[in-house]
Amino acid sequence: MLCFTCLLRSLFLLGLMSLSLTVFAAETHRHKLGVLAFRPKAEVVRKWQPLIDYLNATLRDQRIELEVMNYPELERAIAEQRLDFVLTNPAHYVHMTFRNGLSSPLATLIPIEHEHPLTGFGGVIIALKSRADLEQLQDLKDRRIAAVFRGSLGGYQAQAMELHLLGIEVAQDVELFETGMPHDLVVKTVLAGEADAGFVRTGVLEAMAKEGTIDLSQLKLLNPQQPPGFPFLLSTRLYPEWPFAAMPHAEPDLARRVAAALLALPHDGEVARRIGIQGFAIPYDYEPVRALLQGLRLPPYDEAPNFTVQDVLDKYGLALLYAGFMGLVILLLTFRSLLLNRRLGNERRRVTRQSEEWQRLLAALGDGVFGLDQQGRCGFINPAALKMLGFSREEVIDADLHGLFHASREDGSDYPHVDCPVLKTLNDGQTRHLEDRFTRKDGSCLPVMMTVTPVLSKGQREGVVVVFSDISEQLRMEDELRTQATTDALTGLPNRRQFLKELDDALEWIRRHPEQASAVLMVDLDDFKAVNDRHGHAAGDTVLKHFANELMRASRRSDKLGRLGGEEFCVLLPTTSMRQACQMADRLCRAVAGSLVRADDASLHYTVSVGVAMMKADDRSVDTALRRADAALYRAKAAGKNRIFCETGDTDAADAVEEKLSVPAVKSTQLRHPGRK
């Protein structure tokens, strides 16, 4: 009996529980909130689940379910009315107001990043830091740019608007590569070199850097902006943050309760901190977003509106009336112009005759002449100028001549407009007479002497006239004279005057850098007079040229060589110690002693003696160092010739160098210290 009573009681409790569950299920209504995923979906779910828990706890009899979707998924869900609420970017919200009839949003999100609440967001334009050719927005024209999707405000539209304001239309002027969501794919595409630049939403770079997936030092920011208090990298203006909106079919009472719950969410409270936001605020003004979409002609403003005749009259009626009146005035003026036509024809013929006479005069001139209007366009050019420059008249007339043959300097670098003397005269009306260089059509350089004269009419500047002549031959002769004045004609080395000037410059450098040693070698051909006496001066010249070639082969690019006169030569060895200088002298002596010189039918053998001295910062002049080197040369000659003598006070250094120079090729080469017998 007791068991039967227990069984009845259990069945009663089960029935009561089943009834309660049925009532609860009937009273609990399920609604879906769609959230746009601009980062990986799993991350977005973790971020927004605390808000769902908060709404469900607040609404009690209503249950909100979270759906995280990318753009295509969100679009399909809205079209199929599977969502009751949407948290999306502002551009998408404006699109829905146009297409789905949404009114003002329930609330606007206030995210918090780096301890700063954000009332807006924008776009970032990135490129590899190594891309020196991408420094400003104008450099993005005709480039390949990666973006997640054309419908993304922070990932495409904000950046496209900045380019649009500069006259660059992304749809026509760049190659757009859509990676799809999330924004991380854009950054990876740029880092892989698969795109020249990339568009991402603010905050993405910092998030990826914090995760350790990228190194920000590999990237650079184009068009950097820094609004007060905004904590992220930014390339565009700021737009209001994401709206939380109810779909048209959502129950009004539920929408009101959700809005109240969102606005009541404690700012910086436990739920807000878990989500990573400050909270929600009353809806912001999304008009800037609508203006952006209209300016870029993006959906829903990508189709031109239909106009009726009444629309045209309502908007342009006054303008049409004014246009009709002006048409009547033009008609009257046309009749009057017919009366003046004969007089104008006579004047035109007179001007034509004057123009022909002027053209004949220009054709007779030997100098080049051309004229520019105030915009820098060519109005006329004479045949002599065309011949010197290599262009045809059709290529020059009405062209920007600075860009045509004056845009680069002799070394190939750009010739800026602001430095061009012709354009300077256009701006200030000053006559200029100067040397300059043009570039012929074949790319060769044309040095010219030119005179630039302003053209005035009633005190107003109307352009300039440029007269120029070819000075190539004059410059060639000047270069030839300069070479003759500084170069020894026989050996091609700097002559005495030029070499002494180079020594003066070297001494000034040593005085500024006394820690840098420099050596001077005085070299003399042994018994050179005997060569001239036995074989003639032509053979002597051959020996001198042979030695000059050996000297150049033994020298470094930084060494200074010179022929002081007769058979005497001198070498300056910058940043060279006494030991290194003696080793160089040793190589030179061995090369000379081991060579034969053919002069007519004779085979000549000769040697050289070398005096080595150091050039010092306290030398009064180069003559001081040359006298020491000459004295060392005298000691080498006196010791038997075919020798090297080093002027040094360091006995150990001299011994070390002497060890280095003990070679069979120059058996008689010796080192002597001034203090030794």
Side-chain angles (χ1 to χ4, degrees):
M1 185 66 182
L2 181 62
C3 292
F4 181 73
T5 303
C6 292
L7 179 61
L8 289 177
R9 185 177 299 172
S10 298
L11 291 174
F12 175 75
L13 290 175
L14 287 174
L16 183 61
M17 290 176 62
S18 176
L19 179 62
S20 299
L21 289 175
T22 303
V23 172
F24 178 78
E27 294 181 353
T28 301
H29 302 280
R30 297 178 180 272
H31 311 279
K32 290 190 177 182
L33 166 63
V35 177
L36 176 65
F38 74 96
R39 297 300 309 279
K41 286 187 178 182
E43 179 181 336
V44 178
V45 170
R46 287 194 299 271
K47 178 181 178 68
W48 292 108
Q49 188 59 46
L51 178 64
I52 299 300
D53 297 339
Y54 164 76
L55 291 175
N56 289 333
T58 302
L59 300 177
R60 296 183 180 278
D61 59 334
Q62 306 291 334
R63 181 169 182 79
I64 307 296
E65 296 179 351
L66 177 63
E67 290 283 347
V68 175
M69 306 177 180
N70 57 29
Y71 274 105
E73 293 169 345
L74 196 58
E75 290 287 341
R76 285 195 298 272
I78 292 172
E80 296 169 3
Q81 297 187 357
R82 289 189 282 110
L83 299 177
D84 299 282
F85 301 95
V86 173
L87 179 61
T88 185
N89 72 42
H92 191 210
Y93 163 73
V94 172
H95 195 177
M96 287 192 298
T97 62
F98 186 90
R99 189 181 61 188
N100 301 94
L102 268 69
S103 58
S104 298
L106 302 180
T108 293
L109 176 68
I110 306 178
I112 186 167
E113 297 289 347
H114 301 298
E115 302 180 358
H116 292 279
L118 301 179
T119 58
F121 74 103
V124 181
I125 305 174
I126 59 172
L128 286 175
K129 195 168 187 179
S130 58
R131 292 293 296 270
D133 57 330
L134 297 177
E135 296 294 341
Q136 53 188 351
L137 294 185
Q138 291 85 343
D139 298 334
L140 294 178
K141 189 172 183 180
D142 300 323
R143 304 287 186 170
R144 179 178 171 87
I145 298 177
V148 289
F149 173 58
R150 292 177 187 267
S152 172
L153 176 59
Y156 169 78
Q157 296 167 358
Q159 297 90 331
M161 188 62 177
E162 298 298 323
L163 294 176
H164 169 75
L165 295 175
L166 292 175
I168 301 175
E169 301 300 336
V170 176
Q172 294 86 30
D173 298 334
V174 304
E175 179 187 351
L176 186 66
F177 173 59
E178 295 187 25
T179 64
M181 297 294 277
H183 289 247
D184 305 43
L185 296 177
V186 174
V187 181
K188 294 175 182 178
T189 299
V190 173
L191 289 173
E194 297 174 4
D196 298 303
F199 295 165
V200 294
R201 188 186 193 276
T202 50
V204 172
L205 294 178
E206 289 83 356
M208 295 181 71
K210 185 176 180 180
E211 295 165 1
T213 57
I214 64 168
D215 180 2
L216 280 180
S217 65
Q218 296 179 318
L219 300 170
K220 63 180 173 183
L221 182 68
L222 273 62
N223 195 41
Q225 307 292 315
Q226 191 58 56
F230 192 74
F232 294 129
L233 297 174
L234 179 67
S235 299
T236 70
R237 61 204 65 201
L238 291 174
Y239 296 91
E241 273 289 352
W242 287 24
F244 192 112
M247 300 304 295
H249 57 267
E251 298 177 4
D253 182 65
L254 175 62
R256 179 185 59 77
R257 293 175 63 190
V258 170
L262 293 175
L263 297 176
L265 177 69
H267 282 202
D268 298 326
E270 176 63 25
V271 175
R273 283 196 299 272
R274 290 175 60 193
I275 302 173
I277 64 175
Q278 188 187 48
F280 288 87
I282 59 175
Y284 289 167
D285 180 15
Y286 289 88
E287 175 61 21
V289 182
R290 187 198 61 77
L292 176 147
L293 297 177
Q294 277 193 324
L296 296 178
R297 298 189 67 84
L298 292 173
Y301 304 105
D302 53 342
E303 296 182 359
N306 295 322
F307 286 100
T308 64
V309 174
Q310 188 61 43
D311 292 332
V312 175
L313 292 176
D314 291 342
K315 189 170 184 179
Y316 302 107
L318 185 60
L320 292 174
L321 181 62
Y322 177 75
F325 173 75
M326 292 303 298
L328 179 60
V329 172
I330 292 172
L331 183 61
L332 295 175
L333 292 176
T334 301
F335 281 113
R336 186 173 182 274
S337 67
L338 292 176
L339 300 177
L340 298 174
N341 186 54
R342 180 174 298 178
R343 184 184 303 174
L344 293 175
N346 294 335
E347 185 66 19
R348 188 181 300 111
R349 284 189 291 272
R350 184 185 66 81
V351 172
T352 300
R353 286 195 300 270
Q354 289 183 345
S355 177
E356 290 173 351
E357 293 174 0
W358 186 46
Q359 292 293 338
R360 285 194 295 270
L361 176 62
L362 288 175
L365 292 176
D367 288 342
V369 182
F370 60 84
L372 305 179
D373 61 19
Q374 200 59 29
Q375 285 70 45
R377 298 285 175 176
C378 179
F380 66 87
I381 187 168
N382 73 337
L386 293 173
K387 183 177 180 181
M388 282 188 276
L389 294 168
F391 289 95
S392 66
R393 187 174 183 279
E394 290 73 18
E395 293 173 309
V396 173
I397 294 299
D398 203 32
D400 173 13
L401 296 195
H402 180 80
L404 189 62
F405 56 73
H406 204 204
S408 61
R409 302 184 189 274
E410 185 179 9
D411 59 1
S413 61
D414 290 340
Y415 197 153
H417 281 69
V418 294
D419 296 337
C420 175
V422 178
L423 300 182
K424 284 183 178 180
T425 297
L426 279 175
N427 291 329
D428 60 23
Q430 300 295 317
T431 299
R432 288 176 169 79
H433 185 72
L434 72 158
E435 286 187 18
D436 209 331
R437 295 178 182 272
F438 292 153
T439 302
R440 296 186 179 94
K441 184 178 180 179
D442 61 7
S444 61
C445 184
L446 173 66
V448 296
M449 175 63 72
M450 69 175 176
T451 300
V452 188
T453 306
V455 176
L456 303 177
S457 177
K458 297 180 181 180
Q460 298 295 321
R461 294 193 299 272
E462 293 189 348
V464 296
V465 172
V466 180
V467 181
F468 68 93
S469 57
D470 183 357
I471 58 171
S472 302
E473 184 62 22
Q474 175 185 334
L475 295 179
R476 187 193 65 77
M477 293 179 63
E478 290 176 358
D479 289 342
E480 185 175 333
L481 291 173
R482 191 179 301 109
T483 300
Q484 291 175 1
T486 60
T487 306
D488 176 58
L490 178 64
T491 62
L493 297 176
N495 59 19
R496 183 183 186 88
R497 175 184 293 178
Q498 179 65 18
F499 183 72
L500 292 180
K501 181 181 181 301
E502 293 176 355
L503 282 186
D504 282 330
D505 296 339
L507 181 57
E508 288 299 322
W509 187 87
I510 291 172
R511 286 170 177 167
R512 294 193 301 271
H513 306 84
E515 74 281 358
Q516 297 289 338
S518 293
V520 177
L521 275 59
M522 191 71 74
V523 187
D524 190 85
L525 276 65
D526 297 329
D527 300 321
F528 183 70
K529 184 175 182 302
V531 175
N532 281 333
D533 292 343
R534 293 176 186 172
H535 303 283
H537 289 284
D541 290 347
T542 301
V543 171
L544 289 173
K545 288 190 286 187
H546 177 271
F547 175 69
N549 290 333
E550 292 294 336
L551 185 59
M552 286 187 284
R553 276 196 290 269
S555 302
R556 301 168 302 184
R557 186 183 297 273
S558 60
D559 297 341
K560 307 294 184 184
L561 315 177
R563 182 186 179 194
L564 301 186
E567 68 273 21
E568 191 174 40
F569 296 79
C570 194
V571 182
L572 171 67
L573 305 175
T575 62
T576 303
S577 66
M578 175 62 76
R579 177 179 300 180
Q580 293 168 332
C582 291
Q583 291 171 354
M584 184 273 187
D586 175 54
R587 292 194 301 272
L588 178 63
C589 290
R590 283 188 291 160
V592 170
S595 63
L596 288 177
V597 181
R598 297 289 300 175
D600 293 333
D601 295 330
S603 296
L604 304 180
H605 174 80
Y606 69 99
T607 60
V608 296
S609 297
V610 183
V612 185
M614 299 303 294
M615 181 177 282
K616 304 173 183 176
D618 58 356
D619 286 342
R620 294 185 61 184
S621 68
V622 296
D623 290 337
T624 306
L626 289 177
R627 281 196 297 270
R628 290 199 300 272
D630 195 55
L633 174 62
Y634 176 79
R635 297 285 295 276
K637 289 278 191 181
K641 303 179 184 178
N642 193 19
R643 295 171 185 265
I644 302 169
F645 191 90
C646 303
E647 178 269 328
T648 178
D650 186 350
T651 303
D652 294 337
D655 291 341
V657 176
E658 185 175 3
E659 247 181 66
K660 275 283 188 183
L661 301 183
S662 301
V663 293
V666 191
K667 295 181 180 178
S668 59
T669 301
Q670 297 180 1
L671 289 170
R672 293 292 183 266
H673 190 279
R676 296 181 181 176
K677 297 292 186 181

